[in-house]
Amino acid sequence: MKKTYSLPTTNYRLTIGWLYPDLMSTYGDRGNITVLQKRCEWRGIKTKILQINHETTDQELNTINLLFGGGAQDKEQGIVIESLRKKERALKNLVENNIPCLFVCGSPQLFGKYYEPSEGKRIEGLGIFDMKSIHPGPKKDRLTGNIAARLEIPGFTNTLIVGFENHGGRTRLGHSVKPLAKVLKGYGNNGEDGTEGVIYKNALGSYLHGPLLPKNPEIADWLIQKALEVKYKKEIILSPLDDTLAKKAKEMIAKKLGVKL
Ligand code: GLN
């Protein structure tokens, strides 16, 4: 007999903003949106996905409870930044008002002070993250491969995160931001100082594709919990989900990379 499952229902609703899905989604980054949607759905939290493009208005941006941006190659970054600049004030407000955000690879570079692409002019960023990124040129190695790191998010310190990185840009953090994680294996922000990603308020930047959230559901739940807490102005405790498969995947990668869970 076919089993039927009934999902719980709540009155919670979240609008998830997704930056330029057609221009910014490398190495499976769109999987992060699926994870956010599913982990909400399994807990009875309704979601609406707002795909952000050139036409999106500030009024629409103001409805966002959780913001996601994926990676992009240098060429697409040059196109996106022109459009992002028109939305600069609304996007800054979201971050300053503690809206949780996740930006992967090419998008945190654009939310930083600047990104110097492999060829051509420096791209001035939105300056929301105090960080600078420089691509050392087409002849220099890209920072590519599996990566393992330990989270630095308060409450999650020491949690292992794993993913796949592929970037030319080298990022250096300024004093008003903190790294998202400390690298155990792989390159992270620049392959030199052991930092991976960035945290400012509830906005996270990371170089981890893979995509990030299916392999590291702790981060997905952190984002969902923050989004609900900011919207509903109360403490939220999310019901646990069965993450056996994600845990097994992480175990396997940890073993392969020779790091402890
Ligand atoms: N263009 C950027 C770099 O190479 C971002 C790449 C990406 O998003 N995967 O650093």
Side-chain angles (χ1 to χ4, degrees):
M1 206 172 53
K2 211 171 151 195
K3 269 192 184 167
T4 54
Y5 297 94
S6 57
L7 291 171
T9 48
T10 69
N11 291 324
Y12 295 138
R13 281 167 193 274
L14 291 177
T15 298
I16 301 175
W18 182 7
L19 290 168
Y20 308 86
D22 296 335
L23 291 163
M24 305 197 85
S25 189
T26 49
Y27 317 115
D29 284 344
R30 61 180 56 236
N32 292 312
I33 288 288
T34 312
V35 168
L36 291 170
Q37 265 182 309
K38 280 292 178 194
R39 295 184 78 81
C40 283
E41 188 191 309
W42 290 331
R43 295 174 166 122
I45 304 162
K46 292 215 168 54
T47 55
K48 177 183 157 192
I49 305 296
L50 174 69
Q51 297 204 5
I52 301 165
N53 53 40
H54 305 302
E55 284 81 44
T56 309
T57 63
D58 282 4
Q59 233 170 359
E60 289 173 297
L61 292 175
N62 293 341
T63 66
I64 289 173
N65 308 115
L66 198 167
L67 178 62
F68 170 69
Q73 302 309 332
D74 294 9
K75 186 169 166 227
E76 282 75 26
Q77 285 176 283
I79 301 169
V80 165
I81 193 65
E82 295 307 322
S83 180
L84 274 182
R85 275 203 197 100
K86 300 195 181 106
K87 303 172 176 35
E88 185 170 336
R89 187 140 32 114
L91 292 170
K92 267 193 180 148
N93 279 342
L94 292 178
V95 175
E96 292 301 330
N97 291 328
N98 293 316
I99 296 299
C101 307
L102 173 65
F103 303 116
V104 176
C105 203
S107 48
Q109 290 174 349
L110 298 182
F111 277 69
K113 293 196 162 164
Y114 61 76
Y115 171 55
E116 286 182 12
S118 127
E119 282 163 344
K121 280 200 314 243
R122 172 189 281 192
I123 299 173
E124 297 299 332
L126 302 187
I128 295 174
F129 288 130
D130 176 14
M131 61 180 227
K132 299 168 180 171
S133 307
I134 298 176
H135 192 307
K139 295 222 169 67
K140 288 277 179 195
D141 286 343
R142 292 183 70 78
L143 306 182
T144 305
N146 283 323
I147 166 166
R150 290 218 189 272
L151 277 182
E152 296 270 296
I153 300 179
F156 285 89
T157 350
N158 281 331
T159 300
L160 182 77
I161 56 166
V162 296
F164 164 76
E165 59 183 329
N166 186 352
H167 53 109
R170 274 69 164 165
T171 296
R172 301 270 168 191
L173 303 181
H175 295 296
S176 55
V177 291
K178 291 201 156 55
L180 174 69
K182 290 273 167 69
V183 177
L184 298 173
K185 279 281 158 79
Y187 301 102
N189 286 341
N190 48 59
E192 286 171 5
D193 67 10
T195 64
E196 150 45 36
V198 58
I199 313 183
Y200 173 66
K201 297 207 153 206
N202 287 334
L204 314 179
S206 173
Y207 270 117
L208 271 63
H209 302 278
L212 176 70
L213 297 182
K215 289 181 182 166
N216 306 286
E218 306 84 348
I219 301 180
D221 284 357
W222 184 88
L223 293 163
I224 295 168
Q225 184 189 347
K226 290 280 174 215
L228 291 170
E229 288 185 341
V230 171
K231 178 166 181 186
Y232 294 100
K233 299 185 175 51
K234 61 176 185 181
E235 197 193 347
I236 300 282
I237 296 172
L238 295 177
S239 47
L241 298 173
D242 179 3
D243 286 327
T244 314
L245 276 179
K247 282 187 190 135
K248 281 209 168 126
K250 199 181 278 198
E251 255 170 50
M252 212 273 282
I253 298 164
K255 204 169 149 195
K256 193 168 157 186
L257 294 179
V259 298
K260 285 211 185 89
L261 268 182

